[in-house]
Amino acid sequence: MRGVGPMAADEMNAIEFVDVHKWYGSFHVLRAINLTVARGERIVVCGPSGSGKSTLIRCVNRLEEHQRGTIRVDGVELTNDLRRIDEVRREVGMVFQQFNLFPHLTILENCTLAPIWVRKTPKREAEELAMKLLTRVKIPEQAHKYPGQLSGGQQQRVAIARALCMNPKIMLFDEPTSALDPEMVREVLDAMTALAQDGMTMVVVTHEMGFARKVADRVAFMDEGEIVEINAPAEFFGAPQHERTKLFLSQILR
Amino acid sequence: MPTPATAGAAYVRRASGPILPPPLLSRGAIAWARANLFSSPLSSAITLALVAFGLWALPPLIAWATTRAVWSAPDGALCRAHQDGACWAFIAHKLDYLRYGSYPIAERWRVNAVEIVGAALIGWMLWPGVPRRGLGAVLFFVSFPIFAFALLHGVEGVGLPVVDTLLWGGVFVSLATALVGIVFSLPLGVLLALGRRSGLPIVRAMSVVFIEFVRGVPFITVLYMANNMLPLFLPPGWVPDRFIPPLVGTALFSAAYLAEEVRGGLQSLDKGQSEGAMALGLGYWRMTGLVVLPQALTRVIPGIVNIFIGLFKDTTLVAIVAMVDFLAAMDNAFKDTTWGGPTILPTGYFFAALFYFVFCYGMSRYSAAMERRRAVGRAG
């Protein structure tokens, strides 16, 4: 199992991409990706649309398959072995742009579904944990409503709580605020900031540069399927090195 | 004060305006009739013409079925004397035969018991708000078929003499055929739909071949094939009861249609739903059972019920492989010469139509109620 044998050196890192390539048909969407995310590290990935940043983050829990190179998550290498994929997915929470809450279940049921069926947590215990996490994202009073009755910002906070109910080691955020009305972005970013302060390992694809500046340990810039530049936020925003980074920043920071 | 319309003027609202009810003219029966029945001269003409047609056509039909009908008579003589009314005495006289066929009179309580238990379980399973509906469903889909078969067919040695299926007939044969069709075709249809969308090429190919083949063949052909080909797939010397092949044919035929209906539901579901489930670590079967199917199936309830209604009516076709369903029992009843007369056939077929209509309309209303319930639950 994990934590023994020659893999031990990799145990230091939460996520490792080693020379990862991916193609959609003949389109080379990820090109020679090398990226290591340490435990407890917060990385923000940004870049123009179509740059492959969502594909990159979706490779971490195998919603997308890579075709070349190695991805290790929490020391487990991702292959076609379904059992290993499920093992990784249990430890990696994901928050989507479109929330992807289950509309036929209440908020509480959304949060307890996976703990009960995957972790085999007793129902009572799962509900207590869910209420604790719903309180943490400041919406315990919505527990018995359905997702369709909540605002976008509330739904996205439920999605964060739902992922946390599995007690994950790593959290992935795929443009979590892009589908929200402007007045709801703040509440979701606040929940994410609180999570970062608790020491969660996070990979966040976002255009919220204020969040990146404040929360990220490193910011990665992707373009045309490549990681063009990675740096600490102060250097990344203050003194970008690559021409494409400079151009991108000049376009989004007015 | 309303918002000023002056072009280019700045404006700041100082106080909120009142929230007003809609004007009276847009509500009430008269307003409804004016908007829906008499909105234009053509609309008014069509309304009046249809009302006139109803007044012309309906009263004679109602009188034929009620006031002018013969309600009780020992034989067909009275009915032959009253040729302008229905002969309900014939139905009353044949009712037991129409319900049980040639099932031995002393054993008919068994049919009643199965019907009562079945109705109770269906009620338990389908009535919203009844506790433990899941248990009701398990009893209905798993225990009830065994119970029904044991009671209807009989078990040697426990005081339930075997009743040969040759003697079965009438309403309970129609209901049994429809229920067996529904109980087996729904799970099979769901599996075929999942198979058709499977990533495994052989599973997918087999599902596609089955669906396209069964769908591309008339139901009567499926029945004949089930009757003649089923023994070929069984071990030699193993002869299925004559009742079995039509049931298998009915279930397979509906399953092919259901599979396509369910596939439509699966395809209408956003990909994010399965991705959300996968990201939580749910495996394929849990994702399918807990997240995908509950949503996909409720979306296609109208289509599923549509197929069930078709299945129920198609049970009349099993008569061609010599099963005596309700309609076949009616045809047999017509052969009784003491009841011969011009009003017997219209009465019998009118009654048969009512029978099928009541069941099909019931299914239709249930499906509509479920859709409304679902719409209310979601919108909030």
Side-chain angles (χ1 to χ4, degrees):
Chain A
M1 289 308 290
R2 293 194 306 271
V4 288
M7 303 284 285
D10 303 322
E11 291 289 287
M12 302 302 293
N13 297 318
I15 304 169
E16 283 180 319
F17 281 73
V18 181
D19 192 33
V20 170
H21 294 255
K22 177 174 175 60
W23 289 262
Y24 284 134
S26 60
F27 177 55
H28 202 168
V29 61
L30 291 181
R31 294 152 61 190
I33 301 288
N34 286 292
L35 176 68
T36 302
V37 182
R39 289 191 191 285
E41 190 178 23
R42 271 83 58 173
I43 289 203
V44 164
V45 183
C46 60
S49 64
S51 61
K53 51 195 194 302
S54 278
T55 308
L56 174 86
I57 199 175
R58 288 160 60 88
C59 280
V60 176
N61 63 354
R62 196 74 167 181
L63 290 182
E64 303 285 354
E65 262 176 56
H66 61 286
Q67 284 121 2
R68 229 176 83 186
T70 310
I71 301 176
R72 264 189 292 274
V73 180
D74 196 32
V76 179
E77 185 178 343
L78 285 173
T79 61
N80 279 327
D81 184 343
L82 287 176
R83 208 166 327 152
R84 276 206 233 173
I85 293 171
D86 279 341
E87 193 183 326
V88 164
R89 284 175 180 166
R90 280 197 292 271
E91 307 302 334
V92 178
M94 187 163 199
V95 174
F96 299 86
Q97 182 176 353
Q98 300 295 340
F99 328 136
N100 294 354
L101 295 180
F102 307 133
H104 62 302
L105 301 176
T106 64
I107 299 309
L108 190 63
E109 288 165 344
N110 264 278
C111 291
T112 57
L113 185 77
I116 289 175
W117 289 93
V118 180
R119 289 245 192 263
K120 311 289 180 200
T121 313
K123 190 174 177 220
R124 182 70 49 81
E125 209 176 296
E127 286 179 350
E128 277 169 20
L129 175 67
M131 288 310 296
K132 208 175 89 191
L133 289 164
L134 286 172
T135 309
R136 193 157 137 196
V137 295
K138 303 194 175 66
I139 36 173
E141 71 282 359
Q142 312 286 356
H144 298 287
K145 290 191 183 165
Y146 286 89
Q149 298 167 296
L150 269 56
S151 74
Q154 290 173 324
Q155 289 192 51
Q156 194 60 298
R157 284 185 283 152
V158 171
I160 293 172
R162 178 176 77 174
L164 292 177
C165 278
M166 284 295 278
N167 198 14
K169 295 179 177 157
I170 300 164
M171 283 286 284
L172 309 173
F173 293 84
D174 188 3
E175 304 207 27
T177 57
S178 300
L180 296 176
D181 290 333
E183 73 270 24
M184 292 167 184
V185 170
R186 170 63 45 207
E187 63 193 54
V188 171
L189 291 181
D190 285 348
M192 291 166 61
T193 306
L195 192 59
Q197 282 159 357
D198 291 347
M200 176 65 75
T201 308
M202 291 164 67
V203 182
V204 183
V205 173
T206 185
H207 296 293
E208 294 292 333
M209 291 303 130
F211 175 83
R213 245 187 248 272
K214 197 167 95 183
V215 175
D217 297 309
R218 286 190 294 162
V219 182
F221 172 66
M222 283 186 76
D223 194 19
E224 295 178 352
E226 292 177 309
I227 294 181
V228 174
E229 187 164 350
I230 307 183
N231 219 331
E235 286 73 31
F236 182 86
F237 293 109
Q241 302 295 309
H242 200 285
E243 286 307 314
R244 283 192 274 176
T245 318
K246 289 179 191 168
L247 179 65
F248 176 73
L249 289 176
S250 74
Q251 282 165 340
I252 63 164
L253 302 172
R254 280 153 296 175
Chain B
M1 202 186 90
T3 314
T6 321
Y11 168 76
V12 178
R13 184 177 280 281
R14 301 290 174 201
S16 273
I19 292 166
L20 303 169
L24 276 175
L25 271 179
S26 64
R27 292 184 296 177
I30 294 173
W32 180 87
R34 193 178 294 164
N36 293 291
L37 301 179
F38 302 101
S39 60
S40 70
L42 178 64
S43 164
S44 305
I46 292 172
T47 300
L48 293 175
L50 288 177
V51 168
F53 176 78
L55 289 176
W56 172 77
L58 278 182
L61 182 67
I62 293 169
W64 175 83
T66 57
T67 52
R68 293 207 298 267
V70 177
W71 289 90
S72 66
D75 56 41
L78 198 59
C79 287
R80 283 191 287 275
H82 292 81
Q83 297 197 359
D84 57 348
C87 182
W88 296 123
F90 166 73
I91 300 292
H93 191 79
K94 295 291 182 191
L95 198 57
D96 275 355
Y97 179 73
L98 294 175
R99 283 195 59 194
Y100 306 106
S102 306
Y103 209 86
I105 292 172
E107 306 294 333
R108 286 180 181 175
W109 63 270
R110 286 152 56 172
V111 177
N112 294 343
V114 167
E115 284 176 356
I116 290 167
V117 171
L121 284 178
I122 291 175
W124 185 4
M125 180 175 66
L126 298 184
W127 202 289
V130 172
R132 314 219 44 194
R133 286 169 70 190
L135 178 63
V138 170
L139 287 177
F140 179 74
F141 280 102
V142 179
S143 313
F144 178 66
I146 300 167
F147 166 78
F149 176 79
L151 211 53
L152 290 176
H153 183 261
V155 182
E156 302 271 16
V158 291
L160 289 175
V162 169
V163 178
D164 193 283
T165 50
L166 269 171
L167 301 175
W168 295 20
V171 169
F172 91 90
V173 166
S174 290
L175 294 180
T177 311
L179 276 183
V180 169
I182 288 171
V183 164
F184 286 96
S185 65
L186 186 57
L188 186 59
V190 168
L191 284 178
L192 284 169
L194 293 173
R196 190 161 190 171
R197 285 168 57 82
S198 167
L200 309 170
I202 294 178
V203 173
R204 189 169 58 233
M206 282 170 63
S207 304
V208 169
V209 167
F210 178 90
I211 292 168
E212 295 302 338
F213 179 74
V214 174
R215 231 168 30 138
V217 171
F219 183 49
I220 291 182
T221 315
V222 173
L223 283 178
Y224 279 133
M225 281 171 54
N227 233 18
N228 296 307
M229 288 172 66
L230 195 63
L232 302 181
F233 294 100
L234 295 172
W238 212 86
V239 181
D241 189 283
R242 57 188 273 281
F243 211 72
I244 302 294
L247 295 185
V248 172
T250 309
L252 294 185
F253 189 73
S254 296
Y257 280 88
L258 277 168
E260 287 301 275
E261 194 65 46
V262 173
R263 186 165 70 100
L266 293 172
Q267 276 170 349
S268 77
L269 214 58
D270 187 72
K271 210 168 118 237
Q273 288 296 308
S274 50
E275 286 183 351
M278 282 193 279
L280 284 167
L282 293 166
Y284 175 80
W285 289 108
R286 290 202 181 110
M287 170 184 88
T288 304
L290 297 168
V291 174
V292 174
L293 279 182
Q295 297 185 64
L297 288 181
T298 44
R299 282 185 193 194
V300 292
I301 284 177
I304 291 177
V305 171
N306 194 25
I307 291 169
F308 285 166
I309 287 174
L311 184 155
F312 187 68
K313 293 185 296 181
D314 280 352
T315 58
T316 51
L317 293 173
V318 299
I320 60 149
V321 288
M323 276 171 74
V324 186
D325 72 310
F326 171 64
L327 199 61
M330 185 67 84
D331 277 333
N332 285 347
F334 290 152
K335 292 173 192 154
D336 183 346
T337 47
T338 57
W339 285 93
T343 58
I344 298 301
L345 258 66
T347 305
Y349 286 131
F350 185 74
F351 183 72
L354 271 184
F355 168 81
Y356 286 105
F357 176 77
V358 164
F359 278 90
C360 294
Y361 190 65
M363 286 194 254
S364 160
R365 293 323 298 165
Y366 179 78
S367 131
M370 282 299 98
E371 277 177 77
R372 272 198 305 278
R373 228 180 112 76
R374 190 175 144 254
V376 170
R378 288 293 173 72

